[in-house]
Amino acid sequence: MGIRTLVAMLVTALVVIGALATQESYKVFMPGLLQGAVLTIEIAILGSLLAIVMGVLAALARMYGPAPLRWLATVYVEIFRGTSALVQLFWLFFVLPQFGVTLDAFLVAVLALGLNVGAYGSEVVRGAIQSVARGQWEASTALNMSRPQMLRRIILPQAFVAMIPPWGNLFIELLKSTALVSLITLSDLAFKAQQMNQNTFKTIPIFTLVLLMYLAMSLVVTIGMRLLERRASLGLARGKAA
């Protein structure tokens, strides 16, 4: 699907939200839902940043780190890929206090979602690095580059382009998973919707707005990643031509 189509879908979603917000049966819910959406966006952004950091570090540790680091990275990836994000969320929020460690609900949400997606992201990074043509590695070795130089100057810039689409999918999954944080007392978009629905039983207007708001946020992520991919691909092509 092209960027123009995605932009058209985003504009349509925003127009529909705006139109519904002017109607009597819908506008009463907008302030609360927008407040919840802000929290959802904050968790999604911070969780995504943590996921990127953990994904890159875990991938590099598994590929090039000493044995203890490889072991730690493998344990991290297998635990967070092999267990439910909901269970991880509950474990950090409800179980850690039993060991004397109490974390703020917002911090738990960012940690659980960021670490979960970062584990999947490490495989994306590892696969992208391994997909770089063998000739690039050999040319870097011929230029007597150290491994850090080789990765920074030659390998990672090429692997970065291949990482963008799957990372975009992971960011959208993380955004959708933020609905789980309502179960640890955070008033995100899903929590606000449930609360309003229980108080008013206005299911159709509430969840119609919520659906459109999640769709709009997902489309923003998709468009942003498509633009980043296009820019990175052009930069890589210019670099090769030079």
Side-chain angles (χ1 to χ4, degrees):
M1 190 178 293
I3 291 179
R4 290 183 180 178
T5 303
L6 293 169
V7 171
M9 289 177 64
L10 174 60
V11 171
T12 301
L14 293 175
V15 168
V16 173
I17 291 172
L20 291 176
T22 62
Q23 297 184 22
E24 202 64 37
S25 58
Y26 286 82
K27 68 179 180 181
V28 66
F29 302 116
M30 281 303 295
L33 292 178
L34 287 174
Q35 186 180 12
V38 169
L39 183 60
T40 292
I41 292 169
E42 290 174 351
I43 294 170
I45 290 174
L46 293 176
S48 296
L49 292 175
L50 176 60
I52 292 170
V53 172
M54 293 304 299
V56 172
L57 290 179
L60 294 178
R62 292 181 76 187
M63 296 178 75
Y64 307 113
L69 274 182
R70 286 202 305 272
W71 183 85
L72 283 174
T74 300
V75 169
Y76 155 66
V77 170
E78 295 306 324
I79 288 176
F80 279 90
R81 282 200 312 165
T83 57
S84 163
L86 180 60
V87 173
Q88 294 161 17
L89 200 66
F90 282 176
W91 204 92
L92 291 175
F93 191 70
F94 295 114
V95 178
L96 275 187
Q98 306 301 316
F99 298 96
V101 180
T102 302
L103 301 176
D104 176 73
F106 182 85
L107 178 58
V108 167
V110 172
L111 284 176
L113 297 181
L115 291 172
N116 180 272
V117 172
Y120 289 95
S122 71
E123 293 300 293
V124 170
V125 174
R126 194 159 68 104
I129 291 173
Q130 291 175 337
S131 72
V132 175
R134 192 72 187 168
Q136 299 295 317
W137 296 88
E138 293 170 354
S140 303
T141 303
L143 291 172
N144 201 30
M145 289 185 177
S146 65
R147 180 166 286 168
Q149 288 177 322
M150 187 187 305
L151 287 170
R152 189 177 69 253
R153 296 181 181 180
I154 307 297
I155 305 304
L156 286 178
Q158 296 181 61
F160 177 70
V161 178
M163 295 179 202
I164 295 174
W167 268 111
N169 293 334
L170 290 175
F171 293 153
I172 291 174
E173 285 300 316
L174 191 152
L175 173 64
K176 293 188 292 185
S177 296
T178 57
L180 298 175
V181 307
S182 62
L183 300 174
I184 58 168
T185 73
L186 286 176
S187 299
D188 72 316
L189 181 55
F191 180 89
K192 289 287 188 181
Q194 283 280 59
Q195 192 177 50
M196 291 176 181
N197 186 51
Q198 290 171 1
N199 292 335
T200 65
F201 300 103
K202 301 285 188 179
T203 303
I204 293 176
I206 292 170
F207 286 103
T208 298
L209 286 171
V210 169
L211 183 146
L212 290 169
M213 291 169 80
Y214 272 115
L215 175 62
M217 289 186 285
S218 295
L219 286 171
V220 168
V221 173
T222 303
I223 293 168
M225 297 304 286
R226 290 286 181 87
L227 292 173
L228 179 61
E229 183 183 9
R230 178 183 291 180
R231 185 179 181 86
S233 298
L234 288 173
L236 184 61
R238 288 185 188 132
K240 288 181 176 179

